[in-house]
Amino acid sequence: MLGLGTVGAGVASILSTPEGRHPLVADLQLRRIAVRDLERPRPLNLAPGLLTTCPEAVVDDPAVDIVVEVIGGLEPARSLILRAIAAGKAVVTANKAVIARHGDEIAAAAAEKGVYVLIEAAVGGGIPIIEPLKQSLGGNRIQRVSGIINGTTNYILSRMAAEGAAYGEVLADAQRLGYAEADPAADVEGGDAADKIAILTRLAYGGTVPRPAIPTEGIHQLDARDVDYAARLGFVVKLLAVAQRVGSEPPKPADTTAAGLQLDVRVHPTLVPRGHPLAGVNGVNNAILVEGDPVGQVMFYGPGAGAGPTASAVVADILNIAGIRQATGGGSGTQGGGLDPLLAAGNWRQCSLVDGALTTHRNYVRLRTSDQAGVIGQIGSCFGQAGVSIQSIVQYAGEGSGAAGEASSAEIVVITHEVLEARFRHALDAIEALAEVHQVAACLRTL
Ligand code: HSE
């Protein structure tokens, strides 16, 4: 095992207590663990000599059949995974950052050597989602994968909604309680969720989309006011990661054009109608809703992070490999025929990200305006002239006092019907140019 942090300790704990688990757990032997600091006190009762500060010593050890990478980060994790594969060893990893960016390179190396690389723990912690997408749902034409796949931000958003608290306040509390990292950027700016949706996209659609090109917006600029207004209008705000086909037509047999299958993949705070299956997912829990033809909607829900849940997924992957090795009498981590967990993860289609201006969706907009006759009419005209249909428009009290000589201000919240992004942007430009509109204060997508 490479790493003995939260997840690594969870894995070691399962492996050292096989009683009551699948009988194969008792056959697994933790041979070596690479750590950064040998002196650090550890609650686990580990055999002397198990720990080393040299990760290469783990990867190169001929007695090691399966390398479990739980260091996280891009390097040295990527190089160590490739080194393990080159040595003919199976790899289990929880590393979404490496798989999202270097999945093709790793899959190609694994295919060449005929070894397994399993990644169930990389998305959704303890929720089984990788194997279901690769195998159980393989016969479907996937229309959309949408999910809450970052527990930290879901915890923050749940508390903002329940308490009406400001983002910064809840983040500080989450850090104090250990739910958010000291450096929360990867979670709150959406990068972690973007890594995960990149991985799910490849499994669902059989093609890679470039991870850096996925439009990503976090929750760090979200105003408690929008969470409140959303609630009044019957929505909850969630950080959603979404991957969907563009257009509802089945793809032509040849997705062989240069662009291939066009996908809309993105991460952003989203207003979710209160009755939607994802709206009730709260706290650090994750949920992924898969919509496929012919299966319909299937939702996967559970603990998306933490030592126990993530270790549960890692150990399941180890057991899969161990089981296949046992069934095939395989040596040195090779597949030996039979079930092929790599097959469905292969790149079998060309995919590309659609131009954002050509996507359609509903929108929530909050405008700060003067509170005077005709303002709502002008805003309505701007939307109407751009071909944007308004579903609802509501005025809330603004901050101005309306004292003598001072025009009072208003906040106007608009929910649009589904519309082409290009039309919506066109309308917003016109609205921003109105003298009575002081600011487009917030703009969020709506399911
Ligand atoms: N930091 C992630 C989250 C867990 O908050 O969901 C690991 O992927």
Side-chain angles (χ1 to χ4, degrees), residues 5 10 17 25 37 45 57 112 127 136 179 187 193 202 222 232 248 264 303 317 323 352 355 364 372 394 445:
T17 55
V25 177
D37 178 7
N45 191 15
E112 196 188 322
I127 305 171
S136 325
Y179 290 128
D187 291 319
R202 180 175 171 171
L222 187 68
R232 296 195 216 182
S248 52
D264 182 13
D317 280 349
S352 67
D355 175 356
Y364 161 102
Q372 63 191 68
V394 185
R445 291 199 183 191

Side-chain angles (χ1 to χ4, degrees), residues 205-230:
Y205 298 104
T208 305
V209 292
R211 163 62 185 86
I214 295 177
T216 303
E217 196 186 319
I219 64 162
H220 53 303
Q221 288 169 335
L222 187 68
D223 194 315
R225 206 177 278 252
D226 295 306
V227 176
D228 176 35
Y229 291 161

Side-chain angles (χ1 to χ4, degrees), residues 96 149-152 187 192 196 304-305:
K96 64 253 163 181
I149 47 179
N150 182 268
T152 306
D187 291 319
D192 176 80
K196 293 168 179 170

Side-chain angles (χ1 to χ4, degrees), residues 339-355:
L339 182 69
D340 182 1
L342 287 174
L343 187 65
N347 250 348
W348 41 269
R349 178 194 273 140
Q350 180 69 34
C351 289
S352 67
L353 286 174
V354 70
D355 175 356

Side-chain angles (χ1 to χ4, degrees), residues 3 37 47 83 159 173 190 240 257 282 286 338 341-342 378 416 445:
D37 178 7
R83 185 167 173 143
R159 284 196 48 192
D173 211 32
L240 287 198
T257 53
N282 286 314
N286 282 193
L342 287 174
Q378 289 190 62
T416 73
R445 291 199 183 191

